């Protein structure tokens, strides 16, 4: 079928829409009947900037408006489509689009999470927001996202797609460009116009994806939000292996009560370092330098069990403390990685919430994003840490090619016969490294990480930001990146401070109006619901001024 025939029906609708918009001077909006016509559109491979066999629309349904206020869902065309791979043994890239009847002429791409495998909710919002913040769709954005080129990633087959190189490359970023290009064709077919602005919003794997699109396709997006980006993949996998081995040792895995002892001891020692004891450790650098679980105490009682042997739930044994020490410490690689990484900096393991509040409804989720609700083992289960699950799948499918290989037997410092494979896979971890093209064309990056993230280490994001400064110069980086650290915030959740932040508005104002986002204000929706704090530019942290309401951001200053 020729390209003319492929676009004939939508083009008629598009022309009528453009003429109507010019006559009325109102935003371009699709005729309601145009939604169903999208099922006739086939996106040719030539319209997609990376190799595919084109894309087809499998469904297009007009969805009526519902709800009210910030939770409102505006009338939109919900489009489901699939991009065909070149390799017939690879999977389709499945994606969805929410095309509002009244369009603001802009697009938002939503990133995924973990190993992906599912399509993000195109009618929903990004992480670190709340119901009080309007969704991109409700603001008039055309919103889309994909499953990154494979489906239904669950244990015990998590990561199984990685045996296929096209699927692995799709997950590592190629699917983002393919989906964007296919979506652009469908948007123009619907509205008769190209988007005036394009933004990318992502957290975790989606945060990595946000930086990847800025690095690899700098002209396709105008601004990105990257929250706790799950990058680089291979060095995190190696660190997950080492941490899992430490907590899998006999007697090393602590129960919730023991985690509570460590957590409360850290709060007792570090909470007041920022000028106020409010349940949030903000002066992270000093806490990391001072707090040692081997010598720490809680209410005058040593954290370390007498003699170092396990004597109950009021203390931690040497092997339990040792596992946290391993997680906290740097992992040096004794073999070269193609990505250039030579080490992994560890996590803020001593003071971060690893699942210390058994009574909290959030506790099992927090524990899963930290050291797990059950000791690491093979094969990984949903009760274990997500890090163990990621490592298990990656080792079996992306490294060894052996579905029965035990990830706990890998030497993370020197994987021996598998070192070359780890290195080769790490070559795809550098797609987000060079942001010079994005900076040159005026792109903007909002980058944020919680200090208590025990899944994706905030220390890695610090190194990434510092690497950008070293590569491009501090002044150049200051022109297009704002990096924030959120004390008390974990991997998308936390009982200390659950961040809600209107990132999209901050990004819009910076890209479209030149308004520097500077210090932002975030709201807590879990720890102390409604309290606010300044979201300081790294390396500053919120310090209490000494007077004023401790639950108001105005009572704090960003301090170094």
């Amino acid at each position: 079928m020729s390209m003319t025939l492929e676009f004939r029906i939508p083009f008629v609708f598009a022309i009528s829409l453009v003429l109507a918009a010019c006559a009325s001077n109102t935003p371009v909006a699709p005729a309601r009947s145009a939604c169903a016509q999208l099922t006739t559109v086939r996106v040719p491979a030539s319209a997609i900037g990376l190799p595919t066999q084109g894309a087809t629309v499998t469904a297009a349904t007009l969805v009526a408006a519902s709800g009210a206020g910030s939770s409102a869902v505006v009338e939109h065309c919900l489009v489901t489509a699939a991009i065909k791979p070149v390799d017939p043994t690879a999977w389709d890239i499945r994606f969805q689009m929410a095309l509002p009847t009244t369009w603001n002429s802009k697009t938002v791409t939503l990133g995924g999470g973990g190993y992906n495998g599912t399509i993000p909710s195109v009618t929903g919002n990004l992480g670190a927001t709340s119901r009080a913040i309007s969704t991109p769709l409700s603001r008039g954005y055309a919103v889309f996202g994909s499953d990154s080129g494979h489906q239904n990633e669950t244990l015990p087959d998590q990561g199984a797609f990685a045996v296929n190189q096209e699927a692995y490359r799709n997950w590592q970023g190629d699917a983002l460009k393919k989906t964007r290009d296919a979506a652009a064709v469908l948007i123009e077919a619907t509205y008769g116009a190209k988007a005036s602005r394009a933004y990318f919003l992502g957290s975790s794997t989606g945060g990595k994806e946000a930086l990847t699109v800025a690095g690899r396709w700098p002209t396709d997006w105008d601004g990105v939000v990257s929250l706790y980006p799950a990058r680089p993949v291979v060095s995190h996998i190696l660190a997950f292996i080492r941490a899992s081995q430490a907590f899998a040792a006999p007697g090393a895995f602590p129960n919730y009560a023991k985690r509570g002892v460590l957590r409360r001891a850290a709060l007792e020692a570090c909470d007041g370092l920022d000028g106020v004891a409010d349940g949030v450790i903000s002066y992270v650098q000093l806490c990391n330098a001072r707090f040692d679980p081997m010598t720490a105490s809680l209410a005058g009682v040593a954290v370390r069990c007498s003699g170092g042997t396990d004597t109950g739930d009021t203390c931690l044994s040497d092997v339990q403390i040792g596992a946290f020490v391993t997680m906290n410490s740097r992992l040096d690689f004794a073999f070269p990685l193609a990505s250039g990484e030579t080490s992994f900096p560890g996590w803020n393991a001593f003071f971060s919430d690893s699942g210390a509040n058994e009574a909290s409804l959030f506790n099992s989720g927090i524990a899963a994003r930290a050291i797990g609700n059950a000791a690491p083992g093979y094969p990984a289960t949903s009760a274990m840490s997500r890090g163990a699950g990621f490592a298990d799948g990656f080792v079996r499918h992306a490294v060894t090619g052996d579905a029965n290989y035990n990830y706990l037997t890998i030497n993370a410092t020197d994987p021996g016969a598998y070192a070359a494979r780890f290195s080769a896979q790490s070559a795809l971890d550098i797609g987000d490294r060079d942001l010079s093209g994005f900076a040159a064309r005026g792109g903007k990056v909002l980058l944020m990480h919680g200090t208590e993230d025990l899944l994706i280490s905030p220390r890695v994001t610090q190194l990434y930001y510092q690497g950008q400064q070293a590569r491009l110069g501090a002044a150049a980086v200051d022109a297009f990146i704002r990096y924030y650290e959120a004390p008390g915030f974990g991997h998308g959740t936390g009982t200390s401070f659950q961040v809600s932040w209107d990132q999209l508005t901050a990004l819009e104002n910076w890209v479209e109006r030149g308004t520097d986002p500077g210090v932002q204000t975030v709201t807590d929706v879990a720890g102390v619901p409604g309290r606010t704090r300044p979201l300081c530019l790294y390396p500053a942290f919120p310090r209490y001024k000494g007077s004023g309401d401790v639950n108001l951001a105005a009572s704090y200053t960003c301090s170094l």
Side-chain angles (χ1 to χ4, degrees), residues 85-104:
V86 174
D87 181 351
T89 66
W91 294 263
D92 289 353
I93 300 169
R94 299 180 184 176
F95 70 98
Q96 283 192 331
M97 306 177 68
L99 304 175
T101 298
T102 302
W103 185 40
N104 67 4

Side-chain angles (χ1 to χ4, degrees), residues 7-366:
F7 288 94
R8 181 176 294 166
I9 295 177
F11 185 74
V12 172
F13 279 101
I15 291 296
S16 65
L17 289 169
V18 172
L19 293 175
C22 292
S24 62
N25 198 31
T26 59
V28 178
R32 289 180 174 86
S33 58
C35 181
Q37 298 295 333
L38 288 176
T39 58
T40 68
V41 177
R42 183 185 182 281
V43 180
S46 60
I48 299 173
L50 292 174
T52 71
Q53 294 192 65
T56 56
V57 174
T58 56
T61 305
L62 188 67
V63 179
S66 62
S70 60
S71 61
V73 176
V74 300
E75 183 181 88
H76 63 280
C77 183
L78 182 64
V79 180
T80 302
I83 303 170
K84 294 295 181 183
V86 174
D87 181 351
T89 66
W91 294 263
D92 289 353
I93 300 169
R94 299 180 184 176
F95 70 98
Q96 283 192 331
M97 306 177 68
L99 304 175
T101 298
T102 302
W103 185 40
N104 67 4
S105 83
K106 298 183 286 187
T107 67
V108 157
T109 312
L110 294 178
Y115 278 133
N116 291 340
T118 58
I119 301 171
S121 172
V122 292
T123 61
N125 224 332
L126 181 59
T129 59
S130 68
R131 293 181 180 178
I133 296 174
S134 298
T135 66
L137 177 62
S138 70
R139 304 183 196 201
Y141 279 89
V143 186
F144 57 89
S146 82
D147 63 10
S148 84
H150 57 275
Q151 290 80 48
N152 302 320
E153 275 300 311
T154 57
L155 293 170
D157 296 321
Q158 194 173 60
F161 70 91
V163 298
N164 182 284
Q165 192 60 21
E166 184 173 352
Y168 184 72
R169 293 188 66 90
N170 280 336
W171 176 67
Q172 278 279 42
D174 284 5
L176 305 171
K177 170 65 172 172
K178 295 172 182 178
T179 303
R180 178 263 171 205
D181 288 354
V185 170
L186 298 176
I187 286 169
E188 190 166 3
T190 301
Y191 298 110
K194 296 179 180 180
S196 62
R197 296 286 186 186
Y199 300 117
F200 194 109
L201 311 180
S203 60
S204 193
T205 292
K208 173 181 73 74
E209 292 170 345
L211 298 174
T212 296
V213 301
R216 292 181 62 185
W217 304 287
T219 62
D220 286 343
W221 282 269
D222 299 286
V224 305
V225 173
S226 173
L227 307 182
Y228 36 99
R231 61 153 315 278
V233 172
V234 170
S235 62
H236 261 96
I237 293 295
L238 290 165
F240 288 149
I241 292 170
R242 185 180 69 151
S244 297
Q245 290 167 342
F247 284 104
F253 190 74
N255 61 21
Y256 300 138
K258 288 176 175 288
R259 299 181 214 186
V261 169
L262 182 62
R263 168 73 169 166
R264 292 192 300 276
L267 285 167
E268 185 178 283
C270 299
D271 190 1
L273 295 176
D274 59 2
V276 62
D278 59 353
V280 178
I281 296 172
S282 295
Y283 200 166
V284 170
Q285 183 179 5
L286 187 56
C287 187
N288 271 326
R290 286 187 179 180
F291 185 76
D292 181 354
M294 289 294 288
T295 58
S297 63
L298 174 61
V301 178
V303 168
R304 177 178 181 259
C305 294
S306 178
T309 59
D310 196 337
T311 57
D313 290 349
T314 60
C315 61
L316 282 78
S317 68
D318 281 354
V319 69
Q320 290 160 355
I321 291 175
F324 280 105
V325 169
T326 296
M327 192 173 189
N328 183 76
S329 64
R330 189 177 72 186
L331 167 62
D332 292 310
F333 305 131
F335 69 105
L337 285 173
S339 61
E341 267 85 30
T342 59
S343 65
F344 181 89
W347 288 266
N348 295 325
F350 294 156
F351 64 78
S352 298
D353 187 354
S354 60
N357 186 357
E358 192 169 3
S360 169
L361 294 175
F362 299 105
N363 196 58
S364 64
I366 291 171

